[in-house]
Amino acid sequence: MTLPVQTRPAEGAGRRALLLAFAAVVMTLLLPLAGLVMSIFALVASIRAIKALRSVTKPVGIAVSGIILSAIALLICLSVTILQFYFSKELATYTECRRGAGTVTSQNECVDQLERTMEKRLGLQPGEIQFPFAP
């Protein structure tokens, strides 16, 4: 005797998709690379939720919100990840400088050095990049 396959009710699919999208945004802010994976997962879940909700003729507004939110999280993740890889050498140098910096003045010098190396990498004039706070 075989048991029937249990399926999740379509009514909660939209809420699950939206919760996954919120989780993707949080993961994006904490760990961009993990947020990338989570936002892709939330995007797929949101698309599947729309299909499930349409099959039982329920409103799809929440699932569409999940798609929009997870797409925004995906774009933010991609841009932050690309910037981290592009400036990886500069950020590694900054990290080493901060480890050896024992005073506030030397920490500020590390930030200044990071700003200057990023300006060189981007081809900007000295003084165009100024961080409002230390990274």
Side-chain angles (χ1 to χ4, degrees):
M1 170 196 283
T2 61
L3 296 173
V5 176
Q6 295 285 330
T7 60
R8 288 188 168 178
E11 290 81 21
R15 285 192 308 269
R16 281 191 302 273
L18 191 58
L19 286 174
L20 283 171
F22 279 126
V25 169
V26 170
M27 290 298 288
T28 298
L29 297 176
L30 297 176
L31 298 167
L33 207 51
L36 181 69
V37 173
M38 188 67 175
S39 60
I40 291 171
F41 182 68
L43 191 62
V44 170
S46 298
I47 291 169
R48 292 183 70 193
I50 287 179
K51 291 178 184 177
L53 289 171
R54 283 192 178 153
S55 70
V56 293
T57 62
K58 294 281 184 179
V60 295
I62 294 176
V64 171
S65 300
I67 286 178
I68 293 169
L69 196 57
S70 59
I72 290 170
L74 182 65
L75 289 175
I76 292 171
C77 289
L78 285 174
S79 62
V80 168
T81 303
I82 289 169
L83 284 174
Q84 282 180 338
F85 282 127
Y86 185 72
F87 291 115
S88 62
K89 185 175 126 184
E90 289 82 5
L91 292 172
T93 305
Y94 170 73
T95 303
E96 288 299 317
C97 182
R98 278 295 286 234
R99 280 193 193 138
T103 64
V104 174
T105 305
S106 59
Q107 290 174 357
N108 289 339
E109 289 174 7
C110 293
V111 173
D112 291 339
Q113 180 184 359
L114 175 65
E115 291 171 349
R116 300 302 83 80
T117 57
M118 289 177 80
E119 288 167 350
K120 283 182 184 177
R121 181 83 187 243
L122 294 172
L124 299 174
Q125 298 295 323
E128 287 190 37
I129 294 180
Q130 292 186 355
F131 296 127
F133 51 87

PDB file of all heavy atoms in Angstrom, residues 39-62:
ATOM      1  N   SER A  39      18.729  34.893  -1.562  1.00  0.00           N
ATOM      2  CA  SER A  39      17.835  35.654  -2.434  1.00  0.00           C
ATOM      3  C   SER A  39      17.455  34.848  -3.677  1.00  0.00           C
ATOM      4  O   SER A  39      16.325  34.959  -4.161  1.00  0.00           O
ATOM      5  CB  SER A  39      18.453  36.992  -2.810  1.00  0.00           C
ATOM      6  OG  SER A  39      19.664  36.809  -3.488  1.00  0.00           O
ATOM      7  N   ILE A  40      18.379  34.035  -4.184  1.00  0.00           N
ATOM      8  CA  ILE A  40      18.026  33.158  -5.309  1.00  0.00           C
ATOM      9  C   ILE A  40      16.982  32.143  -4.860  1.00  0.00           C
ATOM     10  O   ILE A  40      15.996  31.889  -5.564  1.00  0.00           O
ATOM     11  CB  ILE A  40      19.284  32.470  -5.878  1.00  0.00           C
ATOM     12  CG1 ILE A  40      20.164  33.498  -6.573  1.00  0.00           C
ATOM     13  CG2 ILE A  40      18.914  31.352  -6.837  1.00  0.00           C
ATOM     14  CD1 ILE A  40      21.527  32.983  -6.978  1.00  0.00           C
ATOM     15  N   PHE A  41      17.176  31.586  -3.674  1.00  0.00           N
ATOM     16  CA  PHE A  41      16.215  30.631  -3.122  1.00  0.00           C
ATOM     17  C   PHE A  41      14.849  31.293  -2.926  1.00  0.00           C
ATOM     18  O   PHE A  41      13.808  30.704  -3.260  1.00  0.00           O
ATOM     19  CB  PHE A  41      16.743  30.081  -1.795  1.00  0.00           C
ATOM     20  CG  PHE A  41      15.869  29.058  -1.161  1.00  0.00           C
ATOM     21  CD1 PHE A  41      15.700  27.811  -1.732  1.00  0.00           C
ATOM     22  CD2 PHE A  41      15.217  29.330   0.022  1.00  0.00           C
ATOM     23  CE1 PHE A  41      14.886  26.860  -1.156  1.00  0.00           C
ATOM     24  CE2 PHE A  41      14.405  28.395   0.620  1.00  0.00           C
ATOM     25  CZ  PHE A  41      14.239  27.152   0.030  1.00  0.00           C
ATOM     26  N   ALA A  42      14.830  32.518  -2.415  1.00  0.00           N
ATOM     27  CA  ALA A  42      13.566  33.232  -2.201  1.00  0.00           C
ATOM     28  C   ALA A  42      12.891  33.582  -3.519  1.00  0.00           C
ATOM     29  O   ALA A  42      11.659  33.525  -3.626  1.00  0.00           O
ATOM     30  CB  ALA A  42      13.827  34.501  -1.391  1.00  0.00           C
ATOM     31  N   LEU A  43      13.678  33.915  -4.529  1.00  0.00           N
ATOM     32  CA  LEU A  43      13.112  34.226  -5.840  1.00  0.00           C
ATOM     33  C   LEU A  43      12.434  33.005  -6.446  1.00  0.00           C
ATOM     34  O   LEU A  43      11.312  33.096  -6.958  1.00  0.00           O
ATOM     35  CB  LEU A  43      14.210  34.759  -6.755  1.00  0.00           C
ATOM     36  CG  LEU A  43      13.797  35.376  -8.075  1.00  0.00           C
ATOM     37  CD1 LEU A  43      12.933  36.601  -7.828  1.00  0.00           C
ATOM     38  CD2 LEU A  43      15.019  35.772  -8.874  1.00  0.00           C
ATOM     39  N   VAL A  44      13.083  31.861  -6.357  1.00  0.00           N
ATOM     40  CA  VAL A  44      12.490  30.618  -6.879  1.00  0.00           C
ATOM     41  C   VAL A  44      11.228  30.265  -6.097  1.00  0.00           C
ATOM     42  O   VAL A  44      10.208  29.887  -6.686  1.00  0.00           O
ATOM     43  CB  VAL A  44      13.526  29.471  -6.833  1.00  0.00           C
ATOM     44  CG1 VAL A  44      12.879  28.137  -7.126  1.00  0.00           C
ATOM     45  CG2 VAL A  44      14.657  29.736  -7.810  1.00  0.00           C
ATOM     46  N   ALA A  45      11.289  30.403  -4.770  1.00  0.00           N
ATOM     47  CA  ALA A  45      10.114  30.094  -3.951  1.00  0.00           C
ATOM     48  C   ALA A  45       8.954  31.028  -4.271  1.00  0.00           C
ATOM     49  O   ALA A  45       7.786  30.603  -4.286  1.00  0.00           O
ATOM     50  CB  ALA A  45      10.472  30.178  -2.471  1.00  0.00           C
ATOM     51  N   SER A  46       9.242  32.286  -4.544  1.00  0.00           N
ATOM     52  CA  SER A  46       8.185  33.254  -4.874  1.00  0.00           C
ATOM     53  C   SER A  46       7.540  32.929  -6.216  1.00  0.00           C
ATOM     54  O   SER A  46       6.314  33.024  -6.371  1.00  0.00           O
ATOM     55  CB  SER A  46       8.749  34.669  -4.900  1.00  0.00           C
ATOM     56  OG  SER A  46       9.242  35.026  -3.641  1.00  0.00           O
ATOM     57  N   ILE A  47       8.352  32.537  -7.188  1.00  0.00           N
ATOM     58  CA  ILE A  47       7.801  32.172  -8.493  1.00  0.00           C
ATOM     59  C   ILE A  47       6.933  30.923  -8.377  1.00  0.00           C
ATOM     60  O   ILE A  47       5.839  30.852  -8.953  1.00  0.00           O
ATOM     61  CB  ILE A  47       8.940  31.976  -9.513  1.00  0.00           C
ATOM     62  CG1 ILE A  47       9.593  33.323  -9.811  1.00  0.00           C
ATOM     63  CG2 ILE A  47       8.439  31.335 -10.799  1.00  0.00           C
ATOM     64  CD1 ILE A  47      10.881  33.240 -10.597  1.00  0.00           C
ATOM     65  N   ARG A  48       7.402  29.955  -7.594  1.00  0.00           N
ATOM     66  CA  ARG A  48       6.595  28.744  -7.388  1.00  0.00           C
ATOM     67  C   ARG A  48       5.309  29.054  -6.624  1.00  0.00           C
ATOM     68  O   ARG A  48       4.276  28.434  -6.855  1.00  0.00           O
ATOM     69  CB  ARG A  48       7.414  27.692  -6.654  1.00  0.00           C
ATOM     70  CG  ARG A  48       8.551  27.163  -7.525  1.00  0.00           C
ATOM     71  CD  ARG A  48       9.309  26.089  -6.838  1.00  0.00           C
ATOM     72  NE  ARG A  48       8.455  24.904  -6.744  1.00  0.00           N
ATOM     73  CZ  ARG A  48       8.737  23.869  -5.988  1.00  0.00           C
ATOM     74  NH1 ARG A  48       9.822  23.869  -5.248  1.00  0.00           N
ATOM     75  NH2 ARG A  48       7.924  22.830  -5.963  1.00  0.00           N
ATOM     76  N   ALA A  49       5.376  30.036  -5.713  1.00  0.00           N
ATOM     77  CA  ALA A  49       4.184  30.415  -4.953  1.00  0.00           C
ATOM     78  C   ALA A  49       3.136  31.032  -5.861  1.00  0.00           C
ATOM     79  O   ALA A  49       1.933  30.792  -5.695  1.00  0.00           O
ATOM     80  CB  ALA A  49       4.558  31.380  -3.833  1.00  0.00           C
ATOM     81  N   ILE A  50       3.572  31.823  -6.844  1.00  0.00           N
ATOM     82  CA  ILE A  50       2.609  32.414  -7.786  1.00  0.00           C
ATOM     83  C   ILE A  50       1.892  31.314  -8.556  1.00  0.00           C
ATOM     84  O   ILE A  50       0.671  31.350  -8.718  1.00  0.00           O
ATOM     85  CB  ILE A  50       3.313  33.406  -8.732  1.00  0.00           C
ATOM     86  CG1 ILE A  50       3.660  34.676  -7.967  1.00  0.00           C
ATOM     87  CG2 ILE A  50       2.439  33.733  -9.930  1.00  0.00           C
ATOM     88  CD1 ILE A  50       4.368  35.712  -8.773  1.00  0.00           C
ATOM     89  N   LYS A  51       2.646  30.330  -9.010  1.00  0.00           N
ATOM     90  CA  LYS A  51       2.027  29.223  -9.741  1.00  0.00           C
ATOM     91  C   LYS A  51       1.039  28.468  -8.859  1.00  0.00           C
ATOM     92  O   LYS A  51      -0.061  28.117  -9.293  1.00  0.00           O
ATOM     93  CB  LYS A  51       3.093  28.272 -10.270  1.00  0.00           C
ATOM     94  CG  LYS A  51       3.929  28.858 -11.374  1.00  0.00           C
ATOM     95  CD  LYS A  51       4.998  27.884 -11.832  1.00  0.00           C
ATOM     96  CE  LYS A  51       5.888  28.505 -12.879  1.00  0.00           C
ATOM     97  NZ  LYS A  51       6.975  27.605 -13.287  1.00  0.00           N
ATOM     98  N   ALA A  52       1.430  28.236  -7.600  1.00  0.00           N
ATOM     99  CA  ALA A  52       0.542  27.505  -6.683  1.00  0.00           C
ATOM    100  C   ALA A  52      -0.713  28.311  -6.364  1.00  0.00           C
ATOM    101  O   ALA A  52      -1.813  27.753  -6.303  1.00  0.00           O
ATOM    102  CB  ALA A  52       1.289  27.158  -5.404  1.00  0.00           C
ATOM    103  N   LEU A  53      -0.569  29.604  -6.166  1.00  0.00           N
ATOM    104  CA  LEU A  53      -1.726  30.440  -5.846  1.00  0.00           C
ATOM    105  C   LEU A  53      -2.660  30.594  -7.042  1.00  0.00           C
ATOM    106  O   LEU A  53      -3.880  30.645  -6.872  1.00  0.00           O
ATOM    107  CB  LEU A  53      -1.257  31.810  -5.351  1.00  0.00           C
ATOM    108  CG  LEU A  53      -0.611  31.824  -3.968  1.00  0.00           C
ATOM    109  CD1 LEU A  53       0.012  33.176  -3.684  1.00  0.00           C
ATOM    110  CD2 LEU A  53      -1.622  31.466  -2.898  1.00  0.00           C
ATOM    111  N   ARG A  54      -2.101  30.665  -8.230  1.00  0.00           N
ATOM    112  CA  ARG A  54      -2.959  30.766  -9.412  1.00  0.00           C
ATOM    113  C   ARG A  54      -3.729  29.470  -9.653  1.00  0.00           C
ATOM    114  O   ARG A  54      -4.824  29.494 -10.198  1.00  0.00           O
ATOM    115  CB  ARG A  54      -2.131  31.116 -10.638  1.00  0.00           C
ATOM    116  CG  ARG A  54      -1.764  32.582 -10.666  1.00  0.00           C
ATOM    117  CD  ARG A  54      -1.210  32.982 -11.993  1.00  0.00           C
ATOM    118  NE  ARG A  54      -0.921  34.421 -11.991  1.00  0.00           N
ATOM    119  CZ  ARG A  54      -0.026  34.981 -12.731  1.00  0.00           C
ATOM    120  NH1 ARG A  54       0.707  34.252 -13.566  1.00  0.00           N
ATOM    121  NH2 ARG A  54       0.173  36.280 -12.673  1.00  0.00           N
ATOM    122  N   SER A  55      -3.147  28.341  -9.254  1.00  0.00           N
ATOM    123  CA  SER A  55      -3.836  27.071  -9.478  1.00  0.00           C
ATOM    124  C   SER A  55      -5.084  26.934  -8.610  1.00  0.00           C
ATOM    125  O   SER A  55      -5.997  26.198  -8.967  1.00  0.00           O
ATOM    126  CB  SER A  55      -2.890  25.894  -9.237  1.00  0.00           C
ATOM    127  OG  SER A  55      -2.591  25.784  -7.859  1.00  0.00           O
ATOM    128  N   VAL A  56      -5.115  27.616  -7.486  1.00  0.00           N
ATOM    129  CA  VAL A  56      -6.298  27.564  -6.623  1.00  0.00           C
ATOM    130  C   VAL A  56      -7.052  28.892  -6.626  1.00  0.00           C
ATOM    131  O   VAL A  56      -7.886  29.126  -5.766  1.00  0.00           O
ATOM    132  CB  VAL A  56      -5.915  27.176  -5.173  1.00  0.00           C
ATOM    133  CG1 VAL A  56      -5.426  25.759  -5.105  1.00  0.00           C
ATOM    134  CG2 VAL A  56      -4.931  28.136  -4.578  1.00  0.00           C
ATOM    135  N   THR A  57      -6.763  29.735  -7.596  1.00  0.00           N
ATOM    136  CA  THR A  57      -7.404  31.045  -7.799  1.00  0.00           C
ATOM    137  C   THR A  57      -7.406  31.902  -6.524  1.00  0.00           C
ATOM    138  O   THR A  57      -8.435  32.374  -6.074  1.00  0.00           O
ATOM    139  CB  THR A  57      -8.839  30.899  -8.346  1.00  0.00           C
ATOM    140  OG1 THR A  57      -9.623  30.202  -7.397  1.00  0.00           O
ATOM    141  CG2 THR A  57      -8.840  30.195  -9.689  1.00  0.00           C
ATOM    142  N   LYS A  58      -6.241  32.074  -5.966  1.00  0.00           N
ATOM    143  CA  LYS A  58      -6.060  32.956  -4.813  1.00  0.00           C
ATOM    144  C   LYS A  58      -5.276  34.186  -5.274  1.00  0.00           C
ATOM    145  O   LYS A  58      -4.565  34.148  -6.275  1.00  0.00           O
ATOM    146  CB  LYS A  58      -5.256  32.246  -3.711  1.00  0.00           C
ATOM    147  CG  LYS A  58      -5.952  31.076  -3.089  1.00  0.00           C
ATOM    148  CD  LYS A  58      -6.956  31.563  -2.099  1.00  0.00           C
ATOM    149  CE  LYS A  58      -7.585  30.372  -1.399  1.00  0.00           C
ATOM    150  NZ  LYS A  58      -8.551  30.760  -0.423  1.00  0.00           N
ATOM    151  N   PRO A  59      -5.367  35.300  -4.548  1.00  0.00           N
ATOM    152  CA  PRO A  59      -4.606  36.491  -4.927  1.00  0.00           C
ATOM    153  C   PRO A  59      -3.094  36.248  -4.800  1.00  0.00           C
ATOM    154  O   PRO A  59      -2.647  35.566  -3.893  1.00  0.00           O
ATOM    155  CB  PRO A  59      -5.057  37.560  -3.935  1.00  0.00           C
ATOM    156  CG  PRO A  59      -5.992  36.925  -3.002  1.00  0.00           C
ATOM    157  CD  PRO A  59      -6.240  35.531  -3.416  1.00  0.00           C
ATOM    158  N   VAL A  60      -2.345  36.822  -5.717  1.00  0.00           N
ATOM    159  CA  VAL A  60      -0.907  36.577  -5.777  1.00  0.00           C
ATOM    160  C   VAL A  60      -0.085  37.801  -5.344  1.00  0.00           C
ATOM    161  O   VAL A  60       1.119  37.823  -5.549  1.00  0.00           O
ATOM    162  CB  VAL A  60      -0.483  36.145  -7.202  1.00  0.00           C
ATOM    163  CG1 VAL A  60      -1.082  34.820  -7.566  1.00  0.00           C
ATOM    164  CG2 VAL A  60      -0.818  37.207  -8.211  1.00  0.00           C
ATOM    165  N   GLY A  61      -0.709  38.770  -4.728  1.00  0.00           N
ATOM    166  CA  GLY A  61      -0.015  40.006  -4.349  1.00  0.00           C
ATOM    167  C   GLY A  61       1.149  39.788  -3.405  1.00  0.00           C
ATOM    168  O   GLY A  61       2.212  40.401  -3.556  1.00  0.00           O
ATOM    169  N   ILE A  62       0.986  38.926  -2.425  1.00  0.00           N
ATOM    170  CA  ILE A  62       2.060  38.687  -1.456  1.00  0.00           C
ATOM    171  C   ILE A  62       3.235  38.003  -2.139  1.00  0.00           C
ATOM    172  O   ILE A  62       4.393  38.334  -1.878  1.00  0.00           O
ATOM    173  CB  ILE A  62       1.537  37.858  -0.272  1.00  0.00           C
ATOM    174  CG1 ILE A  62       0.518  38.681   0.513  1.00  0.00           C
ATOM    175  CG2 ILE A  62       2.671  37.431   0.636  1.00  0.00           C
ATOM    176  CD1 ILE A  62      -0.127  37.935   1.654  1.00  0.00           C
TER     177      ILE A  62
END
